[in-house]
Amino acid sequence: MIEFGTGGFRGIIGDDFVKSNIQSIAQALAEVSLENGDPKPVFIGYDNRFMSDYAAKWFAEVLMGNGIPAILSASSVPTPLVMMATRDKGLDYGAMMTASHNPYIFNGVKVFEKGGVDAGICFTSMLEKRIAAVKEVVSIPEEEGRKKGLLQVEDFLPTYISAIEAFLSPKAFHNPLKVLFNNMNGVGAASILPIAKDLDLHEFHAIHTEHDAFFSFTDPNPAKGNIMGGFRDQVLKGHYDFGMATDSDADRLGIIDEKGNYVDANEIMACLYYYLIRYRSMKGDIIKNVATSSLIDDVAEALGQKCYAVDVGFKNISAGIKEHDALMGGESSGGLTVRGYLFGKDSSFSGALFIEMVAVMGKKVSEIVKEVKEFAGYRHFFHEDSYSFHSSPDAMMDYIASHEPSFHLPLLRTSRIQNNYKYEFADGCFVLIRLSGTEPKFRIFAEMQDEGESLKILSALEKYLGEADEACFGN
């Protein structure tokens, strides 16, 4: 059964991610589009993953077989580009062939709705049922689609890059920064390299820009464990002002500061929010998800703004931005956006904005992070990790519901928000266990006033989930 999680459908290549499943998704989308009447073209993009380009063509061929025009990206592109193309062209749907930050054995399909937003749960739930009910896939060869005028191949990159640069302050251009960019063999280089050239930095060097569907046999995700090794060493050895890294489909951002410290997504979001309000005189509240640090709340309060928490999934961040007319929205996994840009996370955009911030503030990255935390009065320590399990996700969630983890601190309240279990303590401290919507993993988070305490709790949670996995295995 094909299921859509927080970031679309994802499966192991050759197992769930196969031609028949890709075609079934396209057929279901075509049928929904036809039933809506006067179907518009669908913009289709793909990243550098194994079979992404082929999957994009299979998807297009099914749409065309149902008489629906397809606009196929001329090259591999970032996911946010497809969202922007869907919005700017006034289309009802867009599709992206990617498994985002997941390991190379995965691939998948993201679907976007009108306005270039992530497909909501109501739509994906309906689409799942339609996919299961598909009786016949109607497809025509690519060349036949061309002859019928149903296929258009388009290079949307120049428009996408221009939109990012239009958001930037003139002060971001011709700056003295020296930056090292880790493309992680993804598609971020397609947009970030041209943007860096236009910004005319003092020095901008890029690594891992070659097309490698195996991502150098590493996880193409700019999380701490993936970029604090060799990449960190290169940042320090080259005396760079900072290093930046993007995931395989370029919607997540990671930063290494000039001292070799990892700047996590919470800190990136807090610093950019602080910068936009204090230096660019912008106004507005901020949206975060339930797994994101209270640093965001503290910064918002100190700035005279409000922070609203929503469930995990960027579709919920986007909905929150719309509801509260918020200035920014983001999550601890590494994605953010700003009002007036795009209702989706984008690391080309956030990376360019980060460059602007450092150039305009004229301070080292470590100094900016310190300034923001002191301004907010933030005294906590936020850490996260993950646990891969082998049991049934439902069994694991049932175990957590009936076997609450033991904490040596007084527990104020426990709450479940969809696939998240949150345990709250005094002074804004919390622990959260979140079932990933895209892979068999639990994300675990701890934010405490003592760093040792935070790390100790994470270790205890890993042991607890291991016991749960052992108890549930085979059930």
Side-chain angles (χ1 to χ4, degrees), residues 13 55 126 136 152 170 175 179 188 207 216 256 261 298 304 308-310 390 400 409 423-424 449 472:
I13 297 170
M126 177 272 293
E136 179 185 8
Q152 177 184 344
N175 69 67
V179 178
I207 61 174
S216 301
I256 300 290
N261 299 312
D298 294 346
Y308 297 91
V310 298
H390 303 89
I400 295 171
L409 300 173
Y423 310 92
E424 298 178 70
Q449 289 185 318
C472 296

mmCIF file of all heavy atoms in Angstrom, residues 13 55 126 136 152 170 175 179 188 207 216 256 261 298 304 308-310 390 400 409 423-424 449 472:
data_model
loop_
_atom_site.group_PDB
_atom_site.id
_atom_site.type_symbol
_atom_site.label_atom_id
_atom_site.label_comp_id
_atom_site.label_asym_id
_atom_site.label_seq_id
_atom_site.Cartn_x
_atom_site.Cartn_y
_atom_site.Cartn_z
ATOM 1 N N ILE A 13 14.234 1.723 -3.209
ATOM 2 C CA ILE A 13 14.315 1.532 -4.658
ATOM 3 C C ILE A 13 14.330 0.034 -4.982
ATOM 4 O O ILE A 13 15.126 -0.731 -4.434
ATOM 5 C CB ILE A 13 15.580 2.215 -5.219
ATOM 6 C CG1 ILE A 13 15.517 3.726 -4.979
ATOM 7 C CG2 ILE A 13 15.735 1.925 -6.713
ATOM 8 C CD1 ILE A 13 16.816 4.453 -5.278
ATOM 9 N N ALA A 55 11.771 8.261 -13.261
ATOM 10 C CA ALA A 55 10.474 8.330 -12.582
ATOM 11 C C ALA A 55 9.690 9.560 -13.033
ATOM 12 O O ALA A 55 8.462 9.504 -13.193
ATOM 13 C CB ALA A 55 10.674 8.357 -11.069
ATOM 14 N N MET A 126 -7.009 11.111 0.642
ATOM 15 C CA MET A 126 -7.891 10.819 -0.486
ATOM 16 C C MET A 126 -7.097 10.195 -1.632
ATOM 17 O O MET A 126 -7.540 9.218 -2.258
ATOM 18 C CB MET A 126 -8.571 12.113 -0.941
ATOM 19 C CG MET A 126 -9.470 11.967 -2.167
ATOM 20 S SD MET A 126 -8.580 12.162 -3.746
ATOM 21 C CE MET A 126 -8.135 13.903 -3.659
ATOM 22 N N GLU A 136 -6.569 0.619 -13.978
ATOM 23 C CA GLU A 136 -5.793 0.612 -15.223
ATOM 24 C C GLU A 136 -4.958 1.883 -15.311
ATOM 25 O O GLU A 136 -5.447 2.981 -15.052
ATOM 26 C CB GLU A 136 -6.714 0.530 -16.432
ATOM 27 C CG GLU A 136 -5.971 0.536 -17.761
ATOM 28 C CD GLU A 136 -6.915 0.567 -18.958
ATOM 29 O OE1 GLU A 136 -8.139 0.743 -18.739
ATOM 30 O OE2 GLU A 136 -6.426 0.445 -20.097
ATOM 31 N N GLN A 152 5.976 19.671 -22.343
ATOM 32 C CA GLN A 152 6.828 20.850 -22.421
ATOM 33 C C GLN A 152 8.003 20.647 -21.477
ATOM 34 O O GLN A 152 7.821 20.271 -20.326
ATOM 35 C CB GLN A 152 6.052 22.109 -22.017
ATOM 36 C CG GLN A 152 6.884 23.386 -22.003
ATOM 37 C CD GLN A 152 6.085 24.575 -21.511
ATOM 38 O OE1 GLN A 152 4.854 24.538 -21.455
ATOM 39 N NE2 GLN A 152 6.781 25.635 -21.137
ATOM 40 N N PRO A 170 20.369 44.681 -0.838
ATOM 41 C CA PRO A 170 21.521 45.062 -1.672
ATOM 42 C C PRO A 170 22.837 44.939 -0.913
ATOM 43 O O PRO A 170 23.904 44.766 -1.526
ATOM 44 C CB PRO A 170 21.218 46.521 -2.030
ATOM 45 C CG PRO A 170 19.731 46.629 -1.948
ATOM 46 C CD PRO A 170 19.341 45.733 -0.812
ATOM 47 N N ASN A 175 30.259 41.184 -0.897
ATOM 48 C CA ASN A 175 30.661 41.159 0.507
ATOM 49 C C ASN A 175 31.998 40.422 0.696
ATOM 50 O O ASN A 175 32.434 39.671 -0.165
ATOM 51 C CB ASN A 175 29.553 40.559 1.373
ATOM 52 C CG ASN A 175 29.352 39.083 1.136
ATOM 53 O OD1 ASN A 175 30.207 38.271 1.445
ATOM 54 N ND2 ASN A 175 28.193 38.722 0.578
ATOM 55 N N VAL A 179 33.374 31.533 2.252
ATOM 56 C CA VAL A 179 32.420 30.482 2.611
ATOM 57 C C VAL A 179 32.756 29.174 1.901
ATOM 58 O O VAL A 179 33.104 29.167 0.720
ATOM 59 C CB VAL A 179 30.979 30.917 2.246
ATOM 60 C CG1 VAL A 179 29.986 29.809 2.581
ATOM 61 C CG2 VAL A 179 30.605 32.210 2.978
ATOM 62 N N GLY A 188 21.484 21.199 -4.597
ATOM 63 C CA GLY A 188 21.621 22.570 -4.120
ATOM 64 C C GLY A 188 22.561 23.409 -4.964
ATOM 65 O O GLY A 188 22.350 24.608 -5.155
ATOM 66 N N ILE A 207 32.205 21.903 -2.560
ATOM 67 C CA ILE A 207 32.678 20.522 -2.623
ATOM 68 C C ILE A 207 31.490 19.585 -2.822
ATOM 69 O O ILE A 207 30.347 19.946 -2.567
ATOM 70 C CB ILE A 207 33.453 20.124 -1.355
ATOM 71 C CG1 ILE A 207 32.564 20.229 -0.112
ATOM 72 C CG2 ILE A 207 34.701 20.978 -1.201
ATOM 73 C CD1 ILE A 207 33.232 19.713 1.165
ATOM 74 N N SER A 216 28.179 9.620 -2.107
ATOM 75 C CA SER A 216 29.471 9.267 -1.489
ATOM 76 C C SER A 216 29.282 8.273 -0.339
ATOM 77 O O SER A 216 30.070 8.212 0.597
ATOM 78 C CB SER A 216 30.190 10.526 -0.975
ATOM 79 O OG SER A 216 30.414 11.443 -2.023
ATOM 80 N N ILE A 256 28.372 25.289 9.890
ATOM 81 C CA ILE A 256 29.521 25.136 10.776
ATOM 82 C C ILE A 256 30.130 26.523 10.941
ATOM 83 O O ILE A 256 30.435 27.186 9.946
ATOM 84 C CB ILE A 256 30.583 24.184 10.174
ATOM 85 C CG1 ILE A 256 30.010 22.786 9.922
ATOM 86 C CG2 ILE A 256 31.813 24.123 11.081
ATOM 87 C CD1 ILE A 256 29.707 21.995 11.157
ATOM 88 N N ASN A 261 32.141 24.917 15.382
ATOM 89 C CA ASN A 261 30.931 24.517 16.099
ATOM 90 C C ASN A 261 29.788 24.282 15.124
ATOM 91 O O ASN A 261 29.652 25.000 14.130
ATOM 92 C CB ASN A 261 30.510 25.605 17.094
ATOM 93 C CG ASN A 261 31.565 25.871 18.145
ATOM 94 O OD1 ASN A 261 32.084 24.938 18.745
ATOM 95 N ND2 ASN A 261 31.900 27.133 18.350
ATOM 96 N N ASP A 298 11.729 32.271 23.191
ATOM 97 C CA ASP A 298 12.414 33.311 23.953
ATOM 98 C C ASP A 298 12.809 34.494 23.075
ATOM 99 O O ASP A 298 12.682 35.659 23.483
ATOM 100 C CB ASP A 298 13.661 32.721 24.623
ATOM 101 C CG ASP A 298 13.323 31.693 25.696
ATOM 102 O OD1 ASP A 298 12.144 31.633 26.109
ATOM 103 O OD2 ASP A 298 14.223 30.933 26.103
ATOM 104 N N GLY A 304 9.192 41.182 21.234
ATOM 105 C CA GLY A 304 7.828 41.693 21.313
ATOM 106 C C GLY A 304 6.877 40.994 20.370
ATOM 107 O O GLY A 304 5.814 41.519 20.036
ATOM 108 N N TYR A 308 4.198 30.476 17.826
ATOM 109 C CA TYR A 308 3.118 29.486 17.830
ATOM 110 C C TYR A 308 3.699 28.120 17.450
ATOM 111 O O TYR A 308 4.477 28.016 16.499
ATOM 112 C CB TYR A 308 2.028 29.871 16.830
ATOM 113 C CG TYR A 308 1.333 31.177 17.146
ATOM 114 C CD1 TYR A 308 1.803 32.376 16.615
ATOM 115 C CD2 TYR A 308 0.212 31.210 17.971
ATOM 116 C CE1 TYR A 308 1.167 33.582 16.895
ATOM 117 C CE2 TYR A 308 -0.435 32.410 18.251
ATOM 118 C CZ TYR A 308 0.050 33.588 17.715
ATOM 119 O OH TYR A 308 -0.583 34.777 18.005
ATOM 120 N N ALA A 309 3.309 27.077 18.192
ATOM 121 C CA ALA A 309 3.793 25.722 17.926
ATOM 122 C C ALA A 309 2.733 24.904 17.202
ATOM 123 O O ALA A 309 1.553 24.962 17.546
ATOM 124 C CB ALA A 309 4.177 25.036 19.234
ATOM 125 N N VAL A 310 3.156 24.156 16.191
ATOM 126 C CA VAL A 310 2.254 23.306 15.410
ATOM 127 C C VAL A 310 2.836 21.897 15.329
ATOM 128 O O VAL A 310 3.967 21.653 15.744
ATOM 129 C CB VAL A 310 2.044 23.873 13.989
ATOM 130 C CG1 VAL A 310 1.404 25.246 14.042
ATOM 131 C CG2 VAL A 310 3.368 23.933 13.217
ATOM 132 N N HIS A 390 13.077 -1.975 14.341
ATOM 133 C CA HIS A 390 12.757 -3.071 13.428
ATOM 134 C C HIS A 390 11.319 -3.558 13.569
ATOM 135 O O HIS A 390 10.834 -4.325 12.752
ATOM 136 C CB HIS A 390 13.713 -4.238 13.672
ATOM 137 C CG HIS A 390 15.157 -3.880 13.532
ATOM 138 N ND1 HIS A 390 15.928 -3.399 14.582
ATOM 139 C CD2 HIS A 390 15.977 -3.902 12.460
ATOM 140 C CE1 HIS A 390 17.147 -3.157 14.162
ATOM 141 N NE2 HIS A 390 17.214 -3.454 12.883
ATOM 142 N N ILE A 400 4.834 2.809 23.757
ATOM 143 C CA ILE A 400 5.134 4.101 24.379
ATOM 144 C C ILE A 400 3.910 4.619 25.143
ATOM 145 O O ILE A 400 4.039 5.192 26.225
ATOM 146 C CB ILE A 400 5.579 5.119 23.314
ATOM 147 C CG1 ILE A 400 6.903 4.665 22.677
ATOM 148 C CG2 ILE A 400 5.741 6.513 23.911
ATOM 149 C CD1 ILE A 400 7.332 5.485 21.473
ATOM 150 N N LEU A 409 13.273 13.538 37.050
ATOM 151 C CA LEU A 409 12.816 14.905 37.279
ATOM 152 C C LEU A 409 11.297 14.918 37.413
ATOM 153 O O LEU A 409 10.612 14.096 36.794
ATOM 154 C CB LEU A 409 13.229 15.807 36.110
ATOM 155 C CG LEU A 409 14.727 15.943 35.825
ATOM 156 C CD1 LEU A 409 14.937 16.732 34.534
ATOM 157 C CD2 LEU A 409 15.432 16.623 36.981
ATOM 158 N N TYR A 423 7.043 15.258 26.824
ATOM 159 C CA TYR A 423 7.093 15.227 28.282
ATOM 160 C C TYR A 423 7.676 16.561 28.759
ATOM 161 O O TYR A 423 8.823 16.893 28.430
ATOM 162 C CB TYR A 423 7.946 14.049 28.758
ATOM 163 C CG TYR A 423 7.550 12.736 28.115
ATOM 164 C CD1 TYR A 423 8.174 12.303 26.938
ATOM 165 C CD2 TYR A 423 6.548 11.951 28.652
ATOM 166 C CE1 TYR A 423 7.799 11.108 26.322
ATOM 167 C CE2 TYR A 423 6.167 10.750 28.056
ATOM 168 C CZ TYR A 423 6.796 10.337 26.892
ATOM 169 O OH TYR A 423 6.415 9.161 26.285
ATOM 170 N N GLU A 424 6.897 17.319 29.500
ATOM 171 C CA GLU A 424 7.304 18.659 29.897
ATOM 172 C C GLU A 424 7.628 18.734 31.382
ATOM 173 O O GLU A 424 6.936 18.147 32.224
ATOM 174 C CB GLU A 424 6.196 19.653 29.562
ATOM 175 C CG GLU A 424 5.901 19.728 28.057
ATOM 176 C CD GLU A 424 4.772 20.683 27.722
ATOM 177 O OE1 GLU A 424 4.980 21.902 27.868
ATOM 178 O OE2 GLU A 424 3.689 20.204 27.334
ATOM 179 N N GLN A 449 18.255 22.604 31.220
ATOM 180 C CA GLN A 449 19.085 23.723 31.646
ATOM 181 C C GLN A 449 20.524 23.308 31.890
ATOM 182 O O GLN A 449 21.399 24.163 32.042
ATOM 183 C CB GLN A 449 18.496 24.362 32.904
ATOM 184 C CG GLN A 449 17.202 25.124 32.644
ATOM 185 C CD GLN A 449 16.703 25.857 33.868
ATOM 186 O OE1 GLN A 449 16.733 25.332 34.977
ATOM 187 N NE2 GLN A 449 16.235 27.078 33.677
ATOM 188 N N CYS A 472 8.499 -5.468 21.212
ATOM 189 C CA CYS A 472 7.488 -5.411 20.138
ATOM 190 C C CYS A 472 7.873 -6.235 18.921
ATOM 191 O O CYS A 472 7.022 -6.503 18.057
ATOM 192 C CB CYS A 472 7.279 -3.967 19.692
ATOM 193 S SG CYS A 472 6.585 -2.892 20.977
#
